[in-house]
Amino acid sequence: MRVSQHIWRDGVMEPALPGDTPQLVLLFGNQAARDVLPELQQRFPDTPLAGCSTSGQIAKRGVCDGVATITLMYFSDTRIQMFSSEIHDARDSRTQASELARQAQQADLQHLMILADGLSIDAQAAVQGISQTLAPFNNISGGVAGDNERYQQTFTYHQQGISSKRIILIGFYGDKLQVNYGCYGGWKAFGPMRYVTRSEGNRLYELDGQSALALYEQYLGEHAKNLPASGQRFPLGVRYHEQDTDQVVCTVFGIDRDDDCLIFALNIPEGAITQLMHASIDSLIDGAQVASEQACGDCNSQCPEFALLVSCIGRRSVLQQIADEEIEVLSETLCSDIPHSGFYSYGEIAPIMGTGPCSLHNQTMTVTTFSELK
């Protein structure tokens, strides 16, 4: 396995694309990615191509804006198949995603990468449908398209063009492929655990029979006046079931005082167990290092040959000018400083803690490493 990495900036490809044909093309970026897409389609007409808009691209040990990042992936003993569908009604997300998962389900499936629109699709329901369809198979990761901090329109890219309502599944098949996962946020829980006693989708009304909004404001103290923006610094840790040992981090997306509720980026079901979370800049960066260490696996046998990094727009908002440090620590931790690419997203898809059930996360760094056995 090998990769060839390129950046499209102001109409110039650096370095020039090679002459051989890859098995997969990954494309991340916003307007620059949409500008370069026709060239990639023409250059590699028979190669599966997948990508999405972002809230910042990850490349060259840092965060890049205003460019497109292109990764060409070459495999010796792994085949790639792509499955995608337009989802015109978000209520159909689980059903249509489950059908794609059934199409992808083959005996030698080693990894499934998911790229989904960030605003028109219920990505949480889609990921749940895929996970349940493929269970106990759990080698699933990816991310949800971003739009910086605009939250207006997101896109996925594929060989047929550009879409704002599409989910893409990329199947990696063959017993020589080795994939490892890392998933960690660096957030710390504080305050009592509380049960969700009233919610509707992503709208949280009551915790332990009390107003969730009032409790949230009580715990945030002086930070409450800056809601929902300050919610990026105080997400909610959620355990969906009593037996769950790890929490999924959920970000406050908005508040509705007229309806007396908090609005989250993920659905929070009644009966779930929640706890407020907080973090320092250092703990977030340390969390990225933990995710990297989880994904490196046993580097004594063989180092990974490529890493896909997907982090959250909320982490970038909190880290601000030092977001590059999160990527720098990943680069230093990854075995042999392997080639890497990725993006800041509206949702990260990975097994919980790198080995648990696959879930959609917020405010989390996820790392997926790839290699082929020699």
Side-chain angles (χ1 to χ4, degrees):
M1 176 187 170
R2 62 186 175 89
V3 300
S4 178
Q5 296 191 287
H6 308 265
I7 289 182
W8 172 270
R9 188 195 313 269
D10 298 329
V12 178
M13 185 75 72
E14 299 176 352
L17 295 172
D20 51 354
T21 301
Q23 279 72 55
L24 177 64
V25 178
L26 296 177
L27 171 65
F28 300 124
N30 296 318
Q31 187 58 55
R34 295 188 281 278
D35 291 342
V36 76
L37 179 59
E39 178 177 334
L40 297 174
Q41 291 170 311
Q42 182 177 10
R43 186 67 174 270
F44 307 115
D46 300 318
T47 299
L49 183 155
C52 62
S53 59
T54 78
S55 297
Q57 295 75 256
I58 297 173
K60 293 188 174 181
R61 302 170 71 98
V63 185
C64 308
D65 292 303
V67 304
T69 61
I70 300 104
T71 300
L72 311 182
M73 302 186 72
Y74 299 83
F75 299 94
S76 299
D77 297 288
T78 301
R79 71 182 192 280
I80 304 295
Q81 287 185 255
M82 189 171 298
F83 311 86
S84 71
S85 176
E86 294 273 341
I87 300 179
H88 296 284
D89 188 331
R91 292 171 295 184
D92 296 330
S93 297
R94 181 190 296 267
T95 301
Q96 289 188 237
S98 297
E99 176 56 32
L100 289 178
R102 279 188 283 272
Q103 296 174 27
Q105 193 171 30
Q106 300 175 30
D108 60 346
L109 176 64
Q110 294 295 317
H111 171 67
L112 191 70
M113 183 185 297
I114 304 172
L115 297 173
D117 174 77
L119 297 174
S120 299
I121 293 174
D122 184 341
Q124 186 176 20
V127 171
Q128 290 171 346
I130 291 167
S131 298
Q132 292 170 4
T133 299
L134 296 179
F137 180 86
N138 198 39
N139 291 358
I140 305 167
S141 67
V144 176
D147 180 32
N148 291 311
E149 294 184 327
R150 291 184 291 266
Y151 296 93
Q152 294 177 356
Q153 189 170 25
T154 61
F155 300 96
T156 53
Y157 311 130
H158 46 94
Q159 194 59 258
Q160 288 70 45
I162 302 170
S163 173
S164 61
K165 298 179 182 293
R166 184 173 291 266
I167 183 170
I168 300 172
L169 275 57
I170 308 154
F172 295 70
Y173 301 88
D175 59 7
K176 295 295 182 66
L177 185 68
Q178 300 291 301
V179 185
N180 286 309
Y181 307 91
C183 176
Y184 202 79
W187 300 91
K188 307 297 182 184
F190 73 98
M193 291 185 291
R194 297 182 183 274
Y195 284 86
V196 176
T197 49
R198 184 184 168 212
S199 65
E200 294 178 12
N202 66 340
R203 301 175 78 89
L204 177 60
Y205 291 92
E206 293 181 2
L207 295 169
D208 289 345
Q210 302 177 60
S211 165
L213 177 57
L215 283 170
Y216 209 81
E217 290 181 317
Q218 175 187 334
Y219 275 99
L220 264 60
E222 63 179 14
H223 297 287
K225 64 179 181 293
N226 295 320
L227 280 171
S230 59
Q232 300 277 9
R233 295 180 177 271
F234 298 93
L236 199 65
V238 178
R239 289 192 289 134
Y240 295 114
H241 308 98
E242 286 273 6
Q243 64 270 27
D244 292 344
T245 56
D246 297 308
Q247 296 174 317
V248 172
V249 181
C250 300
T251 299
V252 176
F253 192 72
I255 59 174
D256 186 336
R257 295 194 182 280
D258 292 336
D259 203 22
D260 191 29
C261 70
L262 293 160
I263 304 171
F264 285 84
L266 301 179
N267 294 336
I268 301 179
E270 292 181 358
I273 304 168
T274 68
Q275 198 169 14
L276 276 171
M277 308 188 89
H278 68 101
S280 65
I281 298 298
D282 287 342
S283 66
L284 290 181
I285 293 173
D286 290 344
Q289 181 173 346
V290 171
S292 179
E293 292 170 345
Q294 291 172 347
C296 270
D298 183 9
C299 291
N300 293 324
S301 58
Q302 180 176 331
C303 284
E305 294 162 296
F306 174 69
L308 177 70
L309 315 178
V310 182
S311 189
C312 180
I313 174 59
R315 293 174 69 87
R316 188 179 184 188
S317 297
V318 173
L319 292 171
Q320 296 184 357
Q321 291 91 345
I322 63 170
D324 280 351
E325 291 190 21
E326 177 175 56
I327 310 306
E328 182 73 22
V329 73
L330 284 164
S331 302
E332 293 173 353
T333 307
L334 288 169
C335 178
S336 299
D337 194 19
I338 63 175
H340 57 270
S341 181
F343 61 99
Y344 281 87
S345 73
Y346 284 176
E348 306 79 60
I349 302 166
I352 296 173
M353 298 295 288
T355 57
C358 182
S359 185
L360 180 67
H361 307 263
N362 294 146
Q363 297 278 23
T364 301
M365 170 58 77
T366 65
V367 182
T368 307
T369 59
F370 298 80
S371 62
E372 277 188 311
L373 294 175
K374 306 300 185 188

